[in-house]
Amino acid sequence: MFSHMFRIWPLLLLGGLAVPGVRHVSGIDIHTPTEVEAVNGTDVKLKCTFKTSHPVTPQSVIVIWNFRPIDSEKVESVFYYQEEPYPPKEGRFKGHAVWSGDIMRNDASITLQQVPPTFNGSFICQVNNRPDVHGSNGEIVFRVVNKASFSEISILAIAVGVACGAILIILGIVMAVKFWWKRSMENDIELHLREHERKDPTVCSPEEAVHLKVVMKEKEVDSSDGEESEPSSGDDEEEEGLEEDDDDDDDDDLGDDDDD
């Protein structure tokens, strides 16, 4: 037992001497979106930001972007930054990857231009700020689709539907106001005519006009009957005159007889 203790003590002493010389290295935090979806042939920005406990300078920060395809574990280089950006000069990302970050703002983002379906896979963002070099990398699952996703289409459809609904509501309100205004104008005109008829005694209602027309027709009929009956009364007077003349003649004849 004591022999084992004698063997451990030298190791503990060496460890105690070594511990004060160990330099503490903090981890760097890298933040990226979990998934990104892009339409075939469009440009998309791969966002990557970081936090570090040490001062950031263009000379101290190194950014490395790698790519791992879906059907392979082989990692390909996408982009490299150290004091200045170094875009790829060969491979599938040549002419497609450009720098869009700002080191002094803790931004290590890149932009993929005109993405093809061969970009389906995982993009890995790695940032080192010496001496802060430890920490987990940011990984983005990237998908290239031929058209917009259902969520984008549904949002667009909802927006169009809301706009159409608003237009229909506005048109309905306008039509209702016009109808109400026209109806009120007709009522005002009718009331004005009625008031004018009440104030003007020469103006009669349609019922009164019909009644007056009937009365005038009756008067015309009566007047025509009277004109026809007047000649007959003249004849009666003539007949009466003739009868008187006959009586006078008879009287004259009787007188002549008496003289004889």
Side-chain angles (χ1 to χ4, degrees), residues 133-157:
V133 295
H134 296 281
S136 59
N137 300 327
E139 186 170 344
I140 303 172
V141 177
F142 190 77
R143 288 193 298 270
V144 179
V145 296
N146 292 325
K147 57 183 180 179
S149 61
F150 176 76
S151 59
E152 295 176 352
I153 295 174
S154 60
I155 291 172
L156 180 62

Short mmCIF file of all heavy atoms in Angstrom, two decimals, residues 133-157:
data_model
loop_
_atom_site.label_atom_id
_atom_site.label_comp_id
_atom_site.label_asym_id
_atom_site.label_seq_id
_atom_site.Cartn_x
_atom_site.Cartn_y
_atom_site.Cartn_z
N VAL A 133 -10.32 29.53 -30.06
CA VAL A 133 -10.46 28.67 -31.23
C VAL A 133 -11.38 27.47 -30.99
O VAL A 133 -11.62 26.70 -31.91
CB VAL A 133 -9.08 28.15 -31.68
CG1 VAL A 133 -8.21 29.30 -32.16
CG2 VAL A 133 -8.39 27.39 -30.56
N HIS A 134 -11.85 27.31 -29.75
CA HIS A 134 -12.69 26.15 -29.44
C HIS A 134 -14.16 26.55 -29.46
O HIS A 134 -14.52 27.69 -29.18
CB HIS A 134 -12.32 25.57 -28.08
CG HIS A 134 -10.92 25.02 -28.03
ND1 HIS A 134 -10.59 23.79 -28.53
CD2 HIS A 134 -9.77 25.55 -27.53
CE1 HIS A 134 -9.29 23.57 -28.36
NE2 HIS A 134 -8.77 24.63 -27.74
N GLY A 135 -14.97 25.60 -29.78
CA GLY A 135 -16.42 25.82 -29.81
C GLY A 135 -17.07 25.00 -30.90
O GLY A 135 -16.40 24.48 -31.81
N SER A 136 -18.38 24.86 -30.80
CA SER A 136 -19.11 24.07 -31.79
C SER A 136 -19.31 24.88 -33.07
O SER A 136 -19.46 26.12 -33.03
CB SER A 136 -20.47 23.64 -31.23
OG SER A 136 -21.25 24.77 -30.88
N ASN A 137 -19.30 24.21 -34.20
CA ASN A 137 -19.51 24.88 -35.48
C ASN A 137 -21.00 25.06 -35.76
O ASN A 137 -21.85 24.34 -35.23
CB ASN A 137 -18.87 24.06 -36.61
CG ASN A 137 -17.38 23.89 -36.41
OD1 ASN A 137 -16.71 24.80 -35.87
ND2 ASN A 137 -16.85 22.76 -36.84
N GLY A 138 -21.31 26.02 -36.62
CA GLY A 138 -22.69 26.21 -37.05
C GLY A 138 -22.98 25.40 -38.30
O GLY A 138 -22.20 25.41 -39.26
N GLU A 139 -24.10 24.67 -38.31
CA GLU A 139 -24.44 23.81 -39.44
C GLU A 139 -25.84 24.15 -39.95
O GLU A 139 -26.79 24.27 -39.18
CB GLU A 139 -24.38 22.34 -39.03
CG GLU A 139 -24.58 21.38 -40.20
CD GLU A 139 -24.28 19.95 -39.82
OE1 GLU A 139 -23.63 19.72 -38.76
OE2 GLU A 139 -24.67 19.03 -40.58
N ILE A 140 -25.95 24.30 -41.26
CA ILE A 140 -27.22 24.66 -41.92
C ILE A 140 -27.60 23.56 -42.90
O ILE A 140 -26.81 23.19 -43.78
CB ILE A 140 -27.08 26.00 -42.69
CG1 ILE A 140 -26.63 27.13 -41.75
CG2 ILE A 140 -28.39 26.36 -43.37
CD1 ILE A 140 -26.30 28.42 -42.48
N VAL A 141 -28.81 23.04 -42.74
CA VAL A 141 -29.35 22.08 -43.71
C VAL A 141 -29.97 22.88 -44.85
O VAL A 141 -30.94 23.63 -44.65
CB VAL A 141 -30.38 21.16 -43.05
CG1 VAL A 141 -30.98 20.21 -44.08
CG2 VAL A 141 -29.74 20.37 -41.91
N PHE A 142 -29.41 22.70 -46.04
CA PHE A 142 -29.80 23.53 -47.18
C PHE A 142 -30.58 22.69 -48.19
O PHE A 142 -30.16 21.59 -48.55
CB PHE A 142 -28.55 24.12 -47.84
CG PHE A 142 -28.83 25.17 -48.87
CD1 PHE A 142 -29.19 26.45 -48.49
CD2 PHE A 142 -28.74 24.88 -50.22
CE1 PHE A 142 -29.43 27.43 -49.45
CE2 PHE A 142 -29.00 25.85 -51.18
CZ PHE A 142 -29.34 27.12 -50.78
N ARG A 143 -31.73 23.24 -48.65
CA ARG A 143 -32.57 22.55 -49.64
C ARG A 143 -32.87 23.48 -50.80
O ARG A 143 -33.23 24.65 -50.59
CB ARG A 143 -33.88 22.06 -49.01
CG ARG A 143 -33.72 20.89 -48.06
CD ARG A 143 -35.07 20.27 -47.75
NE ARG A 143 -35.94 21.23 -47.08
CZ ARG A 143 -36.01 21.38 -45.76
NH1 ARG A 143 -35.24 20.65 -44.97
NH2 ARG A 143 -36.83 22.27 -45.23
N VAL A 144 -32.74 22.94 -52.00
CA VAL A 144 -33.07 23.69 -53.21
C VAL A 144 -34.35 23.11 -53.79
O VAL A 144 -34.44 21.89 -54.03
CB VAL A 144 -31.93 23.61 -54.26
CG1 VAL A 144 -32.30 24.38 -55.53
CG2 VAL A 144 -30.64 24.17 -53.66
N VAL A 145 -35.36 23.95 -54.00
CA VAL A 145 -36.65 23.51 -54.52
C VAL A 145 -36.91 24.19 -55.86
O VAL A 145 -36.31 25.23 -56.19
CB VAL A 145 -37.79 23.83 -53.52
CG1 VAL A 145 -37.59 23.05 -52.23
CG2 VAL A 145 -37.85 25.32 -53.22
N ASN A 146 -37.82 23.61 -56.63
CA ASN A 146 -38.13 24.16 -57.96
C ASN A 146 -39.13 25.30 -57.91
O ASN A 146 -39.25 26.07 -58.86
CB ASN A 146 -38.67 23.05 -58.87
CG ASN A 146 -37.61 22.03 -59.21
OD1 ASN A 146 -36.42 22.38 -59.35
ND2 ASN A 146 -38.00 20.76 -59.34
N LYS A 147 -39.89 25.40 -56.84
CA LYS A 147 -40.86 26.48 -56.70
C LYS A 147 -41.01 26.81 -55.23
O LYS A 147 -40.47 26.11 -54.37
CB LYS A 147 -42.21 26.09 -57.30
CG LYS A 147 -42.82 24.84 -56.71
CD LYS A 147 -44.13 24.49 -57.41
CE LYS A 147 -44.74 23.22 -56.81
NZ LYS A 147 -46.02 22.88 -57.47
N ALA A 148 -41.77 27.88 -54.98
CA ALA A 148 -41.94 28.33 -53.60
C ALA A 148 -42.67 27.27 -52.79
O ALA A 148 -43.48 26.50 -53.30
CB ALA A 148 -42.72 29.64 -53.57
N SER A 149 -42.35 27.22 -51.52
CA SER A 149 -42.97 26.24 -50.64
C SER A 149 -44.44 26.58 -50.41
O SER A 149 -44.91 27.68 -50.71
CB SER A 149 -42.24 26.21 -49.29
OG SER A 149 -42.31 27.46 -48.66
N PHE A 150 -45.17 25.62 -49.84
CA PHE A 150 -46.61 25.79 -49.62
C PHE A 150 -46.88 26.95 -48.67
O PHE A 150 -47.85 27.68 -48.83
CB PHE A 150 -47.20 24.50 -49.05
CG PHE A 150 -48.65 24.62 -48.69
CD1 PHE A 150 -49.63 24.62 -49.66
CD2 PHE A 150 -49.03 24.77 -47.36
CE1 PHE A 150 -50.97 24.76 -49.32
CE2 PHE A 150 -50.36 24.89 -47.02
CZ PHE A 150 -51.33 24.87 -48.00
N SER A 151 -46.01 27.13 -47.70
CA SER A 151 -46.23 28.22 -46.74
C SER A 151 -46.16 29.57 -47.43
O SER A 151 -46.99 30.45 -47.18
CB SER A 151 -45.18 28.15 -45.63
OG SER A 151 -43.87 28.24 -46.17
N GLU A 152 -45.20 29.75 -48.35
CA GLU A 152 -45.10 31.01 -49.07
C GLU A 152 -46.29 31.22 -49.98
O GLU A 152 -46.83 32.32 -50.08
CB GLU A 152 -43.80 31.04 -49.87
CG GLU A 152 -42.55 31.03 -49.00
CD GLU A 152 -41.28 30.96 -49.83
OE1 GLU A 152 -41.41 30.76 -51.06
OE2 GLU A 152 -40.19 31.10 -49.27
N ILE A 153 -46.73 30.15 -50.66
CA ILE A 153 -47.90 30.26 -51.52
C ILE A 153 -49.15 30.59 -50.71
O ILE A 153 -49.97 31.43 -51.10
CB ILE A 153 -48.10 28.97 -52.32
CG1 ILE A 153 -46.92 28.77 -53.29
CG2 ILE A 153 -49.41 28.99 -53.09
CD1 ILE A 153 -46.95 27.45 -54.03
N SER A 154 -49.30 29.94 -49.56
CA SER A 154 -50.48 30.20 -48.73
C SER A 154 -50.47 31.64 -48.22
O SER A 154 -51.52 32.29 -48.18
CB SER A 154 -50.51 29.22 -47.56
OG SER A 154 -49.35 29.35 -46.75
N ILE A 155 -49.30 32.14 -47.84
CA ILE A 155 -49.21 33.53 -47.37
C ILE A 155 -49.59 34.48 -48.50
O ILE A 155 -50.35 35.45 -48.29
CB ILE A 155 -47.81 33.82 -46.84
CG1 ILE A 155 -47.55 33.04 -45.54
CG2 ILE A 155 -47.63 35.32 -46.59
CD1 ILE A 155 -46.12 33.12 -45.06
N LEU A 156 -49.09 34.21 -49.71
CA LEU A 156 -49.43 35.05 -50.84
C LEU A 156 -50.92 34.99 -51.16
O LEU A 156 -51.56 36.02 -51.44
CB LEU A 156 -48.61 34.62 -52.06
CG LEU A 156 -48.85 35.41 -53.36
CD1 LEU A 156 -48.47 36.87 -53.16
CD2 LEU A 156 -48.04 34.81 -54.50
N ALA A 157 -51.50 33.78 -51.09
CA ALA A 157 -52.94 33.64 -51.36
C ALA A 157 -53.76 34.39 -50.33
O ALA A 157 -54.77 35.03 -50.65
CB ALA A 157 -53.32 32.15 -51.39
#
